[in-house]
């Protein structure tokens, strides 16, 4: 008798991998070389503005903005800002058009070149794409003329990645007149994500930091830090408060403007930041799949698959203070430290350590200095660190880690050594891996040999369960129980199993 299997399509989340590459962005600044006494600092900020996926290729485009502070031919401190577009592609055989890719770009280092007629600035950027997606497979769930052992499994249903651009504006007053903003940046940190009715709600803050040049006789340099809290809503029609959600954020653009009141000597700084949010809502779902199957009439071959899928856990946030000593070139006598900017963190490793996650990495920053002759310069420093993140999740959970260095401080401790302290804001994205077995295909191999006996008595194996016994005896579990209602599983091995066959 032929059988007719029934398959159910199962969708599940799978985290694939991260792919990255380093590229160089370069541009010429329209400042003649003869107008530059010396370059104080070059910093850069970069953003991915467009991306697309094709099988095997992830294309991207973006913009790098350079902030150059320098002393002109008369020794006056000045700043200029220039931008350049970049594009590229990441190649990997596992990239699929249907994947989701979250792109980030970081500035590894900046350089400048005074050879030639114009100043040339460049930045080395690392572009990363985290790839994940929703796979669909066919799993056997039942069928006509088949004896099926079914099991319920728990899975996660995603409602797709939703995005929104969120503007954030704020003004704050400074008690001194500002001559120039030498460099500035905005760093967004997510602190909580939840689902509302029809929306994914994201809470967090933007830390705005700026290196300010005061308008006074000494041309003092001061670092200002302001916190801009936000609550953004990403529209998601299916979202409900009982669902889980995750979200990521990156800075799409930002700018600052300064207005000085000459009468009061105060300054008003206007900051405008555009944030790009990408969020995803999830709900739990129960699926029924066949874990084993046989036919009483046919010999069959089962094609089984082990599927791994990921359930995104609740986002965690924590802040950790770290410090270390950085070696510098010999500093001239009388050098004073003015400000610390451009603090950045690079994660080298992370590992589970009991209830904590041990993290190692490198902190780097730009130190603004003034020597005894009142000349302003900078030195780039870096120091390794190791810390524990107090975010207990268990060692069986894989994590993505986003780290932002902020509120750096430094002090000169010797002629060639600076102590650097900073806070690191960690955002932890846990992914709990699960595995399920499915039957993806069933093939008929031929008819089974018939048992000619109308009645048979069997002695079972100790510990045997109903399904394994039924499959071994080639009898439906319900038929076996109807003729042996006294059986209790697992069996002791002393029972006598009666099987009736109609003739």
């Amino acid at each position: 008798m032929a059988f007719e299997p029934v398959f159910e399509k199962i969708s599940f989340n799978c985290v694939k991998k991260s792919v990255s590459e380093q590229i160089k962005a370069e541009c010429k600044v329209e400042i003649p070389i003869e107008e530059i006494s010396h370059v104080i600092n070059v910093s850069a900020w970069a953003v991915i503005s467009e991306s697309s996926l094709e099988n095997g290729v992830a294309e991207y485009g973006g913009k790098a903005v350079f902030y150059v502070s320098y002393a002109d031919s008369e020794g006056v401190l000045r700043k200029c800002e220039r931008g350049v577009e970049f594009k590229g592609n990441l190649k990997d055989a596992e990239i699929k058009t249907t994947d989701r890719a979250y792109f980030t770009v970081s500035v590894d280092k900046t350089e400048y070149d005074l050879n030639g007629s114009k100043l040339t600035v460049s930045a080395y950027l690392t572009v990363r794409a985290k790839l994940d997606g929703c796979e669909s497979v066919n799993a056997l769930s039942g069928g006509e003329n088949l004896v099926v052992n079914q099991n319920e499994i728990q899975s996660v249903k995603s409602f797709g990645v939703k995005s929104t651009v969120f503007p954030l504006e704020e003004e704050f007053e400074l008690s001194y007149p500002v001559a120039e903003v030498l460099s500035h940046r905005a760093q967004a940190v997510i602190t909580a994500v939840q689902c509302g009715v029809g929306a994914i709600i994201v809470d967090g803050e933007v830390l705005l930091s700026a290196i300010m040049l005061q308008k006074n006789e000494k041309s003092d340099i001061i670092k200002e830090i302001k916190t801009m809290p936000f609550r953004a809503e990403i529209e998601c029609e299916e979202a409900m408060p009982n669902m889980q959600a995750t979200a990521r954020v990156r800075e799409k653009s930002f700018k600052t403007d300064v207005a000085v009141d000459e009468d009061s000597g105060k300054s008003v700084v206007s900051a405008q930041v555009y944030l790009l949010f990408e969020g995803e809502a999830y709900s739990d779902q129960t699926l029924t799949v066949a874990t084993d199957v046989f036919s009483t009439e046919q010999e069959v071959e089962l094609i089984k698959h082990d599927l791994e899928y990921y359930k995104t856990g609740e986002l965690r946030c924590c802040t950790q203070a770290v410090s270390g000593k950085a070696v510098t070139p010999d500093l001239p006598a009388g050098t004073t430290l003015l400000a610390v900017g451009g603090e950045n963190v690079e994660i080298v490793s992370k590992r589970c350590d009991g209830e904590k996650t041990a993290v190692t990495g490198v902190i780097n920053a730009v130190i603004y200095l003034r020597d005894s002759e009142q000349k302003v310069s900078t030195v780039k420093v870096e120091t390794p660190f190791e810390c524990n993140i107090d975010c207990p999740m268990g060692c069986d959970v894989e994590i993505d880690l986003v780290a932002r260095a902020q509120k750096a401080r430094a002090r000169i401790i010797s002629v060639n050594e600076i102590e650097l302290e900073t806070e690191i804001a960690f955002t932890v994205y846990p992914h709990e891996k699960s595995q399920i077995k499915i039957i993806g295909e069933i093939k008929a191999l031929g008819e089974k040999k018939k048992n000619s006996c109308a009645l048979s008595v069997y002695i079972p194996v100790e510990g045997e369960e109903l399904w394994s016994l039924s499959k071994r005896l080639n009898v439906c579990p319900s038929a076996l129980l109807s003729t042996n209602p006294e059986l209790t599983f697992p069996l002791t091995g002393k029972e006598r199993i009666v099987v009736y066959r109609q003739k």
Side-chain angles (χ1 to χ4, degrees):
M1 184 182 297
F3 58 81
E4 296 182 9
V6 175
F7 291 89
E8 181 176 351
K9 188 173 288 293
I10 296 178
S11 297
F12 60 97
N13 291 323
C14 59
V15 176
K16 294 183 179 297
K17 61 187 301 184
S18 293
V19 291
S20 65
E21 69 173 357
Q22 189 181 70
I23 62 172
K24 184 179 180 180
E26 184 177 87
C27 72
K28 288 189 179 297
V29 181
E30 296 301 315
I31 305 174
I33 296 300
E34 59 269 16
E35 294 182 10
I36 300 175
S37 170
H38 66 277
V39 176
I40 297 170
N41 185 51
V42 176
S43 61
W45 173 80
V47 62
I48 300 294
S49 56
E50 58 181 349
S51 62
S52 63
L53 296 180
E54 296 290 341
N55 289 335
V57 180
E59 296 187 346
Y60 62 86
K63 186 176 183 178
V65 180
F66 292 90
Y67 307 103
V68 182
S69 54
Y70 66 99
D72 66 16
S73 56
E74 298 181 358
V76 178
L77 299 186
R78 299 188 181 278
K79 183 209 77 172
C80 69
E81 182 178 318
R82 293 292 184 274
V84 62
E85 294 182 349
F86 61 85
K87 62 176 58 179
N89 58 72
L90 303 168
K91 296 181 179 180
D92 191 279
E94 292 190 25
I95 297 175
K96 296 182 180 179
T97 305
T98 55
D99 283 345
R100 299 187 296 266
Y102 182 79
F103 282 86
T104 59
V105 57
S106 60
V107 179
D108 299 330
K109 67 176 181 177
T110 55
E111 296 177 339
Y112 65 89
D113 186 0
L114 290 171
N115 296 317
S117 60
K118 300 289 180 65
L119 171 68
T120 300
V121 292
S122 56
Y124 291 87
L125 312 174
T126 295
V127 179
R128 295 181 178 85
K130 177 183 172 295
L131 300 167
D132 58 17
C134 187
E135 297 284 354
S136 293
V137 296
N138 287 323
L140 183 69
S141 59
E144 188 175 346
N145 299 324
L146 288 173
V147 184
V148 180
N149 189 27
Q150 292 180 323
N151 188 29
E152 288 187 345
I153 61 171
Q154 298 299 314
S155 184
V156 176
K157 181 179 181 180
S158 167
F159 294 99
V161 177
K162 315 294 182 181
S163 63
T164 190
V165 175
F166 183 79
L168 194 61
E169 297 182 10
E170 191 166 319
E171 286 187 350
F172 52 90
E173 188 177 78
L174 303 177
S175 61
Y176 55 86
V178 173
E180 192 70 79
V181 179
L182 297 180
S183 70
H184 61 173
R185 67 174 180 172
Q187 295 188 100
V189 176
I190 292 175
T191 56
V193 180
Q194 60 185 314
C195 278
V197 178
I200 300 169
I201 303 169
V202 186
D203 291 298
E205 60 185 26
V206 173
L207 196 70
L208 182 69
S209 60
I211 304 295
M212 304 284 193
L213 174 65
Q214 282 189 269
K215 188 184 291 186
N216 58 17
E217 292 183 2
K218 291 185 177 181
S219 296
D220 289 330
I221 294 176
I222 296 178
K223 182 179 183 179
E224 294 286 351
I225 300 175
K226 298 296 180 182
T227 300
M228 304 165 65
F230 63 76
R231 167 165 279 202
E233 293 191 2
I234 307 171
E235 185 177 344
C236 179
E237 186 177 330
E238 300 85 355
M240 295 297 291
N242 61 339
M243 294 181 184
Q244 281 191 316
T246 186
R248 294 179 183 264
V249 61
R250 63 175 184 261
E251 303 81 24
K252 185 175 177 64
S253 67
F254 75 97
K255 67 176 182 178
T256 56
D257 292 313
V258 179
V260 179
D261 188 328
E262 299 295 344
D263 295 331
S264 65
K266 296 180 180 181
S267 302
V268 175
V269 179
S270 301
Q272 185 182 67
V273 184
Y274 282 86
L275 303 176
L276 174 62
F277 290 93
E278 294 180 349
E280 195 168 2
Y282 301 92
S283 67
D284 293 329
Q285 60 180 347
T286 301
L287 302 174
T288 301
V289 297
T291 56
D292 201 3
V293 64
F294 68 90
S295 167
T296 58
E297 303 292 331
Q298 298 275 335
E299 296 286 353
V300 298
E301 178 187 1
L302 304 179
I303 310 300
K304 296 185 177 182
H305 303 289
D306 292 328
L307 299 181
E308 288 186 348
Y309 70 94
Y310 289 80
K311 181 178 181 180
T312 301
E314 183 180 355
L315 174 149
R316 310 287 181 88
C317 302
C318 53
T319 302
Q320 184 71 42
V322 300
S323 63
K325 296 178 181 179
V327 177
T328 68
D330 288 351
L331 302 175
T335 297
T336 57
L337 194 153
L338 301 175
V340 183
E343 56 268 46
N344 188 43
V345 57
E346 177 185 351
I347 302 298
V348 175
S349 68
K350 57 183 183 292
R351 70 180 190 278
C352 180
D353 187 11
E355 289 297 310
K356 298 183 178 181
T357 299
V359 180
T360 63
V362 177
I363 296 292
N364 53 66
V366 176
I367 310 296
Y368 287 76
L369 303 167
R370 175 180 281 132
D371 63 19
S372 58
E373 297 179 354
Q374 304 304 302
K375 179 181 178 181
V376 175
S377 62
T378 59
V379 61
K380 295 181 179 180
V381 299
E382 67 176 31
T383 180
F385 75 90
E386 183 172 355
C387 66
N388 289 322
I389 304 175
D390 191 12
C391 290
M393 287 168 291
C395 293
D396 57 342
V397 176
E398 296 184 13
I399 63 171
D400 287 339
L401 201 58
V402 176
R404 298 287 184 97
Q406 56 189 24
K407 301 179 181 178
R409 301 169 296 278
R411 65 185 183 94
I412 300 173
I413 56 177
S414 73
V415 68
N416 60 1
E417 204 170 31
I418 288 178
E419 184 178 59
L420 179 65
E421 300 179 3
T422 188
E423 292 180 2
I424 303 178
F426 291 100
T427 306
V428 183
Y429 294 87
H431 302 285
E432 186 177 352
K433 185 193 294 185
S434 297
Q435 190 175 74
I436 59 174
K437 292 182 180 292
I438 67 165
I439 300 172
E441 190 176 351
I442 181 172
K443 297 179 179 179
L445 301 179
E447 291 189 5
K448 283 185 174 180
K449 185 179 179 180
K450 300 290 185 178
N451 191 320
S452 59
C453 297
L455 184 149
S456 301
V457 179
Y458 295 92
I459 300 175
V461 178
E462 182 182 356
E464 198 161 17
E465 295 286 356
L466 175 61
W467 175 258
S468 60
L469 178 64
S470 299
K471 187 176 181 181
R472 183 166 65 85
L473 300 182
N474 197 38
V475 180
C476 292
S478 58
L480 194 63
L481 288 176
S482 67
T483 55
N484 300 271
E486 74 286 352
L487 293 180
T488 301
F489 295 90
L491 301 175
T492 65
K494 299 177 181 180
E495 297 87 351
R496 296 295 181 268
I497 311 296
V498 178
V499 176
Y500 293 100
R501 299 181 181 89
Q502 292 182 349
K503 293 295 179 181

